[in-house]
Amino acid sequence: MLKGNEIKIYIGYHGTSRESAALIQKSNFNRSINRSEWLGSGVYFFTDGIKNPRDHAYEWAKCRDCKQISIISVLVSGTKVLDTTNQEGIDAYNEMRDLILEQEKEWFPNTKNRWEDNTTMWELIADYLKIEIIIHNLYIKNSIAKLNSNVPNTTVMCVKNNDNIDIGSLEIEFIGVI
Amino acid sequence: MNIKDLVIQAKERISAMSGDEIRAKFIQHGYVPSALDMNLCRSFYEKEKYSNINLSLEVSSSNKSNYLAIKNFSFNEKNKLGTECPGTFYPANIACNDANFNLCTKYEMDLAA
């Protein structure tokens, strides 16, 4: 028996240049589609979890060489959320990954060890599960954390579709000059 | 919706998919099959990926005469990956392996067939 569609609401923090913040306010966020995206294509935010998401947003903008930094907050909501910061989410991810690797063996029998990147796996899992929002703990290097590490230091949120972002709730939390 | 329910629904959807649909889904999200497996996906590639492809071919200057170079190609908007990787494509009758992988770009296609 399926449960009802419970809407989950999150606050996303986005660090960017002052100019980009103004553009976002005017015409919404651009989805990232680079192959190197952590969790596949989508709009990326820092969110509550490991340490303060505002600090991460600030550091992110700083590392992007923005001279004038803006930190934006916005409400994100959805019913289909893959949250790998909890056990259920990790179990779901692993179950889907195993299934996809079985499919690979069955339908691409000659292709061995050809997973070019982790992004493809995230994209397949999000597509099959029809996920709207992914929440995941990551380690991101910044001006403070310069070490290479596999222990997460931040929690990120990837929103697959702008429809799940309440652009009317957007607030400029901070404007500063480096 | 509970993530466990989403997994159950996904499994139901996947079990109803054909092999072609599954292959297409993989490729759509950036999976890179071998040249031999690309043959299996040929109909998908022709219909979806390369429906608007613009190619000019010439034999590679390399002494491996069975390699063909593709120049000046472009993809339709559906293929967000293709624009990133021009270069040499592989004939499908040559398996791409560790030894010759450096000659092979990310995208391979059966030019011989």
Side-chain angles (χ1 to χ4, degrees), chain A residues 125-140:
Chain A
I125 289 174
D127 186 337
Y128 279 145
L129 292 176
K130 299 196 179 301
I131 288 297
E132 297 167 336
I133 299 165
I134 299 171
I135 296 176
H136 185 65
N137 290 334
L138 277 179
Y139 178 80
I140 301 176

Side-chain angles (χ1 to χ4, degrees), chain A residues 51 55-65 69 139-147 153 178:
Chain A
K51 304 211 285 193
D55 293 345
H56 288 300
Y58 178 82
E59 277 297 323
W60 179 255
K62 209 167 114 183
C63 290
R64 309 281 284 186
D65 280 339
I69 288 175
Y139 178 80
I140 301 176
K141 273 190 191 178
N142 58 36
S143 64
I144 302 163
K146 291 180 178 170
L147 175 78
N153 62 354
I178 294 184

